[in-house]
Amino acid sequence: MKYNFIDLEKLKDIKIACITLDLEQDHGGLLKEPSHEAFLLADELINYLKERSIPLTCFVQGSLFETHPEIVEDFSSQLNMEFELHTYSHPELGEINHKCEIKKGKAAFYNFFGDYPQGYRSQAGIFNQELFLSLSFDGFKFDSSIIPSLRPGFYNGLNLPSIPHHLSDFNLNEFPITTFSKFLKIPVSLSYLKLLGRPYIALLNISKLPNFVNFSFHLHDLKNLNSSKKIQFNKISPLYGPILKRTYKNNNGMEILDKFINILLKRDYNFLKLEDFYNMLVLK
């Protein structure tokens, strides 16, 4: 896959953080039946971000525009935010048809907003040629699917840059999830902060972060849910079962999110939506 680094000269003297939420059914496709218990946490998150005047980029599972429009309306009416697309159905990992997910999701997005999304995020860091070809064909401006780390059975982005870059074969800008460094490629996301706990948070607190931070999380990362008990662990690799149990057992997601936001605030990061960051880079 060919890529070119984006000229980040405009970031030379400023620090930018984009807080991005994947708004989806609980635990992606890990439950036998869809659950949306985490939507009950939306007001707490909205109030938190409003108090700190932090904008939000929300990648929405497309089917929610049809089944749960009220959750999208709740966010849009109260926050400085943008909405982008996060698949249509969030299918099980072995059943992903990127072209179909993008087409159906884009249609649901348009029916709700009367406009098309500019950005996209696939599920679980899964990307391939079909994904980028479909995004390019359907007129998307940027993608934020790549996690430049390794998760066996899901993705391997170790050979890809962890800073924004242009996918030249597809005329698409890629904004990867930030990793700790180009050498220690641990994602900077709420699930990893919960999994690795205090040592990782302490490391982030004393280490230099890149000038651009793309931080991701889900509503179900914020607190332990009853739906967590319904995860089909028998369908999950023995490698990941204990990891998921440890991650979702942690009930301090909001507290950990607050700690990370405070790290960024103390370092004078400017908080932007991803679309604003995109426009800053491409507009002269």
Side-chain angles (χ1 to χ4, degrees):
M1 187 162 55
K2 296 179 181 178
Y3 58 83
N4 300 311
F5 288 108
I6 297 173
D7 182 6
L8 298 179
E9 184 64 24
K10 295 177 182 178
L11 293 186
K12 185 176 180 180
D13 299 316
I14 59 174
K15 299 176 182 178
I16 291 174
C18 294
I19 307 301
T20 65
L21 170 69
D22 292 357
L23 186 61
E24 62 186 49
Q25 62 199 38
D26 294 352
H27 314 300
L30 296 178
L31 304 180
K32 186 175 182 180
E33 298 291 338
S35 169
H36 305 90
E37 181 187 352
F39 290 178
L40 297 174
L41 305 176
D43 286 344
E44 182 178 358
L45 174 66
I46 288 169
N47 291 334
Y48 172 83
L49 296 175
K50 281 175 65 176
E51 288 174 3
R52 288 155 182 78
S53 300
I54 295 173
L56 182 68
T57 295
C58 189
F59 290 94
V60 185
Q61 179 183 323
S63 62
L64 297 180
F65 292 117
E66 301 163 347
T67 62
H68 293 76
E70 69 282 353
I71 186 67
V72 181
E73 292 167 354
D74 198 21
F75 274 102
S76 63
S77 65
Q78 300 189 58
L79 276 179
N80 174 19
M81 67 179 307
E82 68 171 303
F83 292 100
E84 306 297 352
L85 186 60
H86 179 48
T87 76
Y88 173 77
S89 64
H90 213 291
E92 292 188 13
L93 298 181
E95 301 175 357
I96 299 176
N97 181 324
H98 290 297
K99 184 177 180 179
C100 180
E101 290 293 319
I102 291 167
K103 287 286 186 186
K104 293 182 70 174
K106 184 179 174 183
F109 191 102
Y110 183 83
N111 288 337
F112 189 89
F113 288 113
D115 202 359
Y116 293 111
Q118 293 189 78
Y120 190 83
R121 178 171 287 165
S122 183
Q123 66 190 84
I126 295 175
F127 62 91
N128 56 24
Q129 295 279 93
E130 180 196 30
L131 169 66
F132 298 129
L133 277 171
S134 297
L135 291 176
S136 178
F137 180 81
D138 277 301
F140 284 80
K141 303 299 184 183
F142 63 86
D143 175 70
S144 184
S145 299
I146 290 179
I147 304 174
S149 183
L150 173 64
R151 188 178 177 187
F154 291 79
Y155 57 82
N156 182 357
L158 289 174
N159 63 330
L160 296 174
S162 55
I163 62 173
H165 53 279
H166 185 72
L167 300 173
S168 52
D169 288 343
F170 310 101
N171 192 27
L172 191 70
N173 282 350
E174 177 64 37
F175 301 143
I177 302 300
T178 298
T179 56
F180 178 77
S181 74
K182 63 180 180 179
F183 301 110
L184 185 58
K185 290 198 164 187
I186 301 175
V188 179
S189 63
L190 186 53
S191 59
Y192 275 85
L193 266 65
K194 290 177 65 178
L195 174 65
L196 301 178
R198 292 181 181 177
Y200 191 30
I201 296 172
L203 191 60
L204 289 168
N205 203 28
I206 63 174
S207 302
K208 178 178 173 58
L209 292 170
N211 279 11
F212 172 68
V213 171
N214 183 7
F215 178 86
S216 68
F217 71 107
H218 310 83
L219 286 177
H220 57 246
D221 293 327
L222 298 178
K223 288 188 178 179
N224 190 13
L225 305 173
N226 289 326
S227 60
S228 304
K229 302 172 185 177
K230 300 177 183 178
I231 292 175
Q232 300 179 89
F233 288 104
N234 61 317
K235 291 189 175 182
I236 300 172
S237 163
L239 173 66
Y240 293 117
I243 292 175
L244 287 176
K245 287 179 180 179
R246 173 178 169 82
T247 301
Y248 292 133
K249 184 178 180 180
N250 188 324
N251 203 36
N252 298 324
M254 276 300 305
E255 179 183 340
I256 294 171
L257 175 64
D258 179 59
K259 287 181 179 179
F260 182 71
I261 293 290
N262 284 331
I263 290 173
L264 297 175
L265 288 170
K266 290 176 183 177
R267 299 187 186 186
D268 297 321
Y269 274 83
N270 297 280
F271 291 87
L272 292 181
K273 296 171 288 188
L274 268 182
E275 65 176 351
D276 293 333
F277 178 67
Y278 169 80
N279 290 331
M280 186 185 75
L281 293 179
V282 302
L283 297 179
K284 296 182 180 179

